Amino acid sequence: MANSILNHTGLLTFSLIDTLLTRFKYVSQEYDIKFSIYKKILIVMIESLENVFKYTDMYEDFVEKEKNYLPSLDILKNENCYKLKTCNPVRNVDVERLTRKIEQVNNKSRQELKDLYLETITNGKFSSKGGAGLGFIEMAKTSGHNLEYSFEKITDDYSMYTFTVTFDM
């Protein structure tokens, strides 16, 4: 059974992300999280929250009407690992692209991830929203685990996207 050590539900702002990062610093001390693990979780936490925030404009109107589908963050601890989990609505038209990017990362060895990272930095196509999948590559490299994800269709236009990253203790 996993215990939640930090959670938040609601739309994100830059100042709220900063507050959550500060709260995690104190929680990590309270739960005596090793500094090396704290750094890994922090890196993934920043990237995950940035992803949720970056795409807020695509679902903000939806969550104003559908309060049950607000974005969330949860950091969980069980006897042998930590898990960082985010949930947020995504447009159904984006599900296939997200699945493809995550699966591309999940199907790589550690060395292949390093090579893909370098290739993406050198030749990647960057958009106004950010990198060309660099975040997923970085999160998989940092955690040392496959990225877990699921999509639950909630309307004709939106699905709830759950994204989880595991960290060994």
Side-chain angles (χ1 to χ4, degrees):
M1 180 80 181
N3 295 321
S4 178
I5 62 173
L6 177 68
N7 61 45
H8 171 78
T9 300
L11 291 172
L12 295 172
T13 63
F14 280 124
S15 61
L16 184 55
I17 290 172
D18 188 44
T19 300
L20 289 169
L21 296 173
T22 301
R23 280 179 47 204
F24 178 60
K25 178 181 176 182
Y26 293 113
V27 164
S28 69
Q29 293 166 354
E30 183 181 325
Y31 283 87
D32 202 26
I33 298 173
K34 289 183 205 166
F35 187 69
S36 60
I37 297 168
Y38 163 78
K39 285 190 332 187
K40 289 178 181 183
I41 296 172
L42 186 66
I43 289 166
V44 172
M45 183 178 177
I46 291 167
E47 188 65 43
S48 297
L49 291 174
E50 189 177 273
N51 284 345
V52 172
F53 177 77
K54 244 191 293 195
Y55 296 99
T56 299
D57 59 335
M58 294 182 184
Y59 59 77
E60 196 169 13
D61 291 343
F62 173 73
V63 297
E64 286 298 319
K65 292 179 243 159
E66 301 287 341
K67 297 292 184 193
N68 292 335
Y69 300 108
L70 287 168
S72 65
L73 163 78
D74 208 2
I75 299 177
L76 305 157
K77 178 185 184 217
N78 68 24
E79 58 279 344
N80 58 3
C81 70
Y82 295 95
K83 290 187 180 273
L84 183 143
K85 181 171 105 173
T86 57
C87 297
N88 61 283
V90 295
R91 295 179 309 183
N92 288 332
V93 296
D94 294 326
V95 168
E96 184 181 332
R97 180 183 53 81
L98 282 166
T99 299
R100 193 173 52 249
K101 283 185 174 186
I102 295 170
E103 284 303 319
Q104 178 189 23
V105 168
N106 282 346
N107 289 322
K108 303 280 184 212
S109 70
R110 206 139 165 85
Q111 185 57 51
E112 289 172 325
L113 280 175
K114 289 177 183 176
D115 295 343
L116 180 61
Y117 185 83
L118 290 174
E119 177 189 324
T120 305
I121 284 179
T122 307
N123 303 324
K125 294 185 174 32
F126 296 88
S127 71
S128 62
K129 289 288 188 186
L134 279 174
F136 290 135
I137 299 167
E138 184 63 32
M139 288 187 276
K141 278 178 38 186
T142 300
S143 74
H145 288 276
N146 277 351
L147 307 173
E148 300 170 49
Y149 66 97
S150 65
F151 297 95
E152 180 187 335
K153 188 173 180 181
I154 48 182
T155 69
D156 288 341
D157 296 320
Y158 290 94
S159 288
M160 199 61 169
Y161 169 42
T162 301
F163 181 76
T164 306
V165 182
T166 300
F167 305 88
D168 296 326
M169 288 188 160

